Amino acid sequence: INAIPIEEIKKKAEEKITDLPKSPVFVSVGRLHTRKGYHQLMEVHAQLLKEGFDHSVVIIGDGEEFPNLLAQQKKLGVEKTYLLLGNKMNPYPYIKTADFFIMPSESEAWPLVIAEALILQKPIIATKVGDVETMIKDRKTGYLIDYKTGEIYEAMKEFLTNESLVSEIKKNLKDIENEFDNQKIFDEVEEIITNLAKN
């Protein structure tokens, strides 16, 4: 696991931004690739809007799926509510300012962005892929789902309507950064090197 510059992330997150839509906002940061689930997320977003659940989705990142997502955005008529903002040098203020973080990926390893969103104390919806289940406790420090459109829908609806669940998650995130103990990581690396030296 990579060491995480906790203080640097928190400091960078303080930067002022003015291009976020009004709340509630779900933000995601990732490469625009089919595996990231952004097409499914857009379908769910359009469905929730149709049912009267006002919200916006903001995607930070670039990639080969950008033109396809733009075409889908136009087809569904969500140009004003599903925003593709491209790459940002500093994505942290977007994570910090948004109401929720969402990662609807089909596959991941140990997604650093989940650690960053946790450190910024953001309620997260994430798919149970890679090591995500070791990072988030379901309904305690986030909301875990399978990679299915119906589950993305249910989770987003829950965050938009269940204030007590969101409050509980926020409360449990207060000291979450203690779980990302860099010293522990450095000690593990040191142990590996020492053992290699012995051999």
Side-chain angles (χ1 to χ4, degrees):
I1 296 170
N2 295 329
I4 297 157
I6 294 169
E7 291 312 315
E8 187 187 334
I9 288 167
K10 283 155 76 172
K11 189 164 179 250
K12 283 184 172 176
E14 296 301 323
E15 189 184 303
K16 291 278 173 282
I17 51 167
T18 55
D19 53 347
L20 265 195
K22 63 177 174 45
S23 288
V25 178
F26 291 86
V27 69
S28 193
V29 179
R31 203 173 147 57
L32 303 186
H33 187 283
T34 49
R35 285 186 305 102
K36 293 292 185 180
Y38 291 140
H39 291 285
Q40 288 86 330
L41 180 58
M42 199 188 302
E43 277 173 37
V44 170
H45 166 66
Q47 182 64 32
L48 285 164
L49 285 182
K50 210 181 285 179
E51 292 172 17
F53 297 102
D54 274 349
H55 69 290
S56 303
V57 176
V58 170
I59 311 290
I60 311 280
D62 211 341
E64 61 271 31
E65 277 304 299
F66 195 70
N68 295 332
L69 286 162
L70 282 178
Q72 184 186 8
Q73 187 192 42
K74 196 167 184 203
K75 186 179 158 204
L76 293 171
V78 293
E79 296 97 327
K80 288 189 165 66
T81 53
Y82 191 101
L83 307 180
L84 299 156
L85 298 188
N87 280 333
K88 295 283 178 189
M89 285 293 289
N90 179 10
Y92 302 123
Y94 292 88
I95 298 173
K96 186 174 182 199
T97 312
D99 299 277
F100 314 113
F101 187 88
I102 186 161
M103 189 195 77
S105 300
E106 188 178 3
S107 64
E108 292 283 346
W110 192 90
L112 181 61
V113 73
I114 291 288
E116 293 166 340
L118 286 169
I119 285 161
L120 294 173
Q121 299 182 14
K122 221 30 61 180
I124 297 170
I125 294 168
T127 40
K128 292 182 267 191
V129 290
D131 289 332
V132 171
E133 284 179 275
T134 65
M135 304 170 81
I136 292 172
K137 291 182 188 72
D138 190 30
R139 315 291 172 108
K140 297 278 187 287
T141 55
Y143 193 118
L144 295 174
I145 58 171
D146 286 319
Y147 179 69
K148 291 178 182 160
T149 309
E151 294 209 12
I152 299 170
Y153 170 88
E154 288 302 335
M156 289 177 75
K157 188 172 165 183
E158 195 76 10
F159 269 17
L160 290 168
T161 59
N162 189 340
E163 278 179 41
S164 61
L165 173 67
V166 172
S167 299
E168 175 71 9
I169 290 171
K170 282 181 178 170
K171 194 178 83 189
N172 294 333
L173 289 173
K174 286 273 185 277
D175 300 312
I176 195 79
E177 67 185 56
N178 298 337
E179 290 187 23
F180 300 98
D181 181 359
N182 287 338
Q183 192 53 52
K184 196 171 129 200
I185 297 164
F186 298 147
D187 291 346
E188 283 173 16
V189 173
E190 193 179 338
E191 194 183 329
I192 293 165
I193 294 165
T194 308
N195 288 339
L196 284 172
K198 279 179 191 163
N199 296 338

